[in-house]
Amino acid sequence: MAKIKTPSESLTIMTNIVLPNETNSLRNLFGGELLAKMDRAASISAARHSERRVVTASVNHVSFNEPIPEGGIVVLESKVTRAFSTSMEIYVDVWLDDPVNQTKVHTNEGIYTFVAVDADNKPVPIPELRPETEEEIERHKAALRRKELSLILSGRMKAADSVELKKLFTEGT
Ligand SMILES: CC(C)(COP(=O)(O)OP(=O)(O)OC[C@H]1O[C@@H](n2cnc3c(N)ncnc32)[C@H](O)[C@@H]1OP(=O)(O)O)[C@@H](O)C(=O)NCCC(=O)NCCS
């Protein structure tokens, strides 16, 4: 029987303090630094789920909602949200943790696609994913839409072949 895993099996938590050399001219964490950290966390989640070597296929979405100041404690939490055939979607949630004031603010999120590959860098099948919590089920449901959008935008899929987005791209044409 094919292996089925849960999102919690790929949970990856990375905690860092923001150092001066990672900041921009406003003394907040530089966006590119955060992207690199998010990519690392997502790649670990992808490897944990697939039990394979993985590569980043696409960064589907990143939002920067709140600045993260120098000295801030930044916590990244990533999990696989849906497994397709050889590719998987990973969500990375970013938090600013303030132990002095006992607050935890959600500053960012990113959505990545990773592909599991063999020794020749050819895509290989991965285990299925069964979401458990309400949030995991929501994210799992919407992931096909995001995959199709990413494939259409990268020119790998024609809008007419899309299951979920055909109407959005073809209506009125
Ligand atoms: C990603 C890569 C392995 C895909 O290889 P490929 O031979 O094009 O393979 P396929 O077309 O069969 O795609 C493999 C899977 O990736 C998915 N995929 C590929 N590009 C995608 C994109 N832009 N968005 C979403 N999914 C994508 C495909 O839909 C397919 O998913 P599925 O098997 O789960 O249905 C290949 O393009 C690659 O090695 N890219 C470079 C990766 C890299 O170096 N990353 C680091 C960047 S610094």
Side-chain angles (χ1 to χ4, degrees):
M1 204 172 82
K3 197 167 183 178
I4 300 178
K5 298 178 80 171
T6 61
S8 60
E9 290 177 80
S10 65
L11 175 65
T12 300
I13 302 177
M14 285 173 52
T15 307
N16 284 278
I17 189 158
V18 178
L19 298 175
N21 66 340
E22 298 173 313
T23 61
N24 59 22
S25 53
L26 299 172
R27 299 245 164 153
N28 293 318
L29 178 60
F30 181 58
E33 292 285 344
L34 184 57
L35 287 176
K37 291 184 204 304
M38 292 167 87
D39 199 17
R40 278 196 194 106
S43 74
I44 295 168
S45 288
R48 284 179 170 162
H49 178 79
S50 64
E51 300 166 17
R52 291 283 191 165
R53 290 172 54 231
V54 295
V55 293
T56 314
S58 164
V59 181
N60 303 341
H61 168 80
V62 180
S63 62
F64 296 102
N65 304 326
E66 299 281 342
I68 301 173
E70 183 181 318
I73 296 171
V74 56
V75 182
L76 286 80
E77 290 183 17
S78 73
K79 276 195 271 189
V80 175
T81 45
R82 185 150 172 176
F84 295 99
S85 180
T86 64
S87 68
M88 61 213 112
E89 182 189 82
I90 326 284
Y91 243 85
V92 186
D93 286 297
V94 183
W95 305 86
L96 176 60
D97 185 22
D98 182 344
V100 177
N101 293 309
Q102 306 265 301
T103 56
K104 199 177 170 195
V105 176
H106 188 247
T107 59
N108 300 70
E109 64 183 22
I111 307 172
Y112 288 71
T113 300
F114 276 76
V115 176
V117 293
D118 64 15
D120 299 319
N121 290 335
K122 296 275 172 273
V124 283
I126 57 173
E128 276 178 46
L129 183 86
R130 185 186 298 134
E132 293 182 311
T133 68
E134 213 171 289
E135 183 183 64
E136 288 167 4
I137 291 167
E138 269 306 301
R139 289 179 171 184
H140 184 270
K141 259 194 218 158
L144 177 61
R145 205 152 54 228
R146 289 189 289 267
K147 176 180 164 82
E148 290 191 341
L149 181 61
S150 175
L151 290 174
I152 291 169
L153 292 177
S154 63
R156 287 174 165 261
M157 177 185 258
K158 290 199 178 87
D161 297 332
S162 146
V163 175
E164 302 238 339
L165 299 171
K166 191 174 174 173
K167 229 172 135 192
L168 178 69
F169 280 85
T170 55
E171 205 158 76
T173 59

